[in-house]
Amino acid sequence: MEHIKKGAVVLKAAPAAGDMALINRLTLRELTEEEVFTFRVAAADTQVDRDFERFSKECLEKLAELYVGKPFIADHQWSSGNQVARVYAGAVETGEDGVSRLILSCYMLRSGASQTMIDAIEAGINREVSVGVAVKRATCSICGADKARAYCEHRPGKSYDGALCTVELGDPEDAYEVSFVAVPSQREAGVVKRYAGDREKPAGPPEDTDAARRKQLTAVIALEKIKFLEEVPTT
């Protein structure tokens, strides 16, 4: 089994006039280029990752919209004082390798308090991120079942008749935040995930139809997947 690790790079990007217009849509006063530090991250892509999951391109395109205005924090500490930057634009870019990547453009205010963080980004010390999103569909590559809503006996990473089982994530409901993290020593650090359909196959009569339908409508996969940043050429 091949565990795919993505090269980790955060790129500094000098804000252009168009970038400042997008940034100032999120501010209470108009900022100037001299006041902000901007950078881009490749937060997710369509490759099968080390959890044997992949985002669909359509999912990434929706996440690009959902992420605008969302906070960039550190170590997943959800507090107002821990916000270090904010996402001001999102886009999906497809490289020559055919892989589509979710590119998030972020900004932070230059100040004495933020200079240490800026120095760490420029020095390549702060480069790994973890993204937190919620999606409503997780499609099994073997049988096509939506693992968020129905039981499926196939497990990601296992082979069935020579075919590797993977899961395609789609239909995003929300994007929570992006967080700088240290390179995780525990391989699954940051993963908070449960497939609604991945419980043991129920015995006895089927569930009440209305109750099952309500569960289907409310099933959401909560994901905080460690993602390594892809180096993306500046345009």
Side-chain angles (χ1 to χ4, degrees):
M1 299 180 184
E2 181 182 3
H3 293 163
I4 300 173
K5 292 185 178 180
K6 303 171 179 63
V9 174
V10 177
L11 297 179
K12 177 181 177 181
D19 292 309
M20 292 309 303
L22 294 174
I23 290 170
N24 282 318
R25 289 176 61 182
L26 304 174
T27 64
L28 295 181
R29 71 172 178 85
E30 188 167 320
L31 301 178
T32 65
E33 293 184 18
E34 293 73 25
E35 291 181 281
V36 298
F37 173 82
T38 62
F39 58 96
R40 302 197 310 163
V41 300
D45 57 47
T46 53
Q47 296 182 97
V48 175
D49 65 18
R50 60 181 182 170
D51 293 321
F52 303 98
E53 296 171 340
R54 61 182 296 273
F55 289 96
S56 68
K57 184 178 180 180
E58 294 75 17
C59 183
L60 295 182
E61 290 171 345
K62 181 61 177 178
L63 286 174
E65 299 174 6
L66 292 173
Y67 257 114
V68 174
K70 297 302 171 65
F72 206 120
I73 62 178
D75 297 319
H76 288 298
Q77 298 298 313
W78 288 20
S79 66
S80 59
N82 198 41
Q83 296 184 35
V84 298
R86 192 165 294 276
V87 178
Y88 68 87
V92 175
E93 299 180 4
T94 301
E96 294 181 358
D97 55 3
V99 177
S100 296
R101 297 176 175 87
L102 171 62
I103 309 300
L104 301 179
S105 298
C106 312
Y107 79 96
M108 64 173 62
L109 192 64
R110 289 185 180 274
S111 67
S114 67
Q115 192 57 51
T116 299
M117 176 70 72
I118 292 172
D119 290 343
I121 293 173
E122 292 184 319
I125 296 172
N126 282 354
R127 38 193 277 158
E128 287 77 34
V129 301
S130 172
V131 296
V133 303
V135 300
K136 294 189 287 186
R137 189 175 70 249
T139 304
C140 173
S141 65
I142 301 299
C143 66
D146 184 352
K147 295 169 76 67
R149 301 181 178 186
Y151 173 79
C152 172
E153 64 183 6
H154 305 114
R155 295 295 176 262
K158 292 188 177 181
S159 293
Y160 299 86
D161 295 326
L164 180 68
C165 178
T166 60
V167 174
E168 182 180 86
L169 305 174
D171 196 9
E173 184 175 65
D174 201 358
Y176 304 124
E177 41 83 8
V178 191
S179 178
F180 275 125
V181 294
V183 177
S185 56
Q186 62 273 47
R187 186 164 176 269
E188 298 197 14
V191 177
V192 180
K193 173 179 55 184
R194 177 171 56 200
Y195 294 135
D198 261 5
R199 57 176 68 93
E200 292 298 320
K201 188 173 184 179
E207 296 181 83
D208 173 72
T209 302
D210 289 338
R213 185 177 296 112
R214 286 194 296 273
K215 287 184 179 180
Q216 290 178 357
L217 292 174
T218 58
V220 172
I221 304 169
L223 299 173
E224 286 182 353
K225 300 181 63 58
I226 297 299
K227 291 291 179 182
F228 291 86
L229 305 176
E230 294 283 358
E231 183 171 359
V232 180
T234 56
T235 58

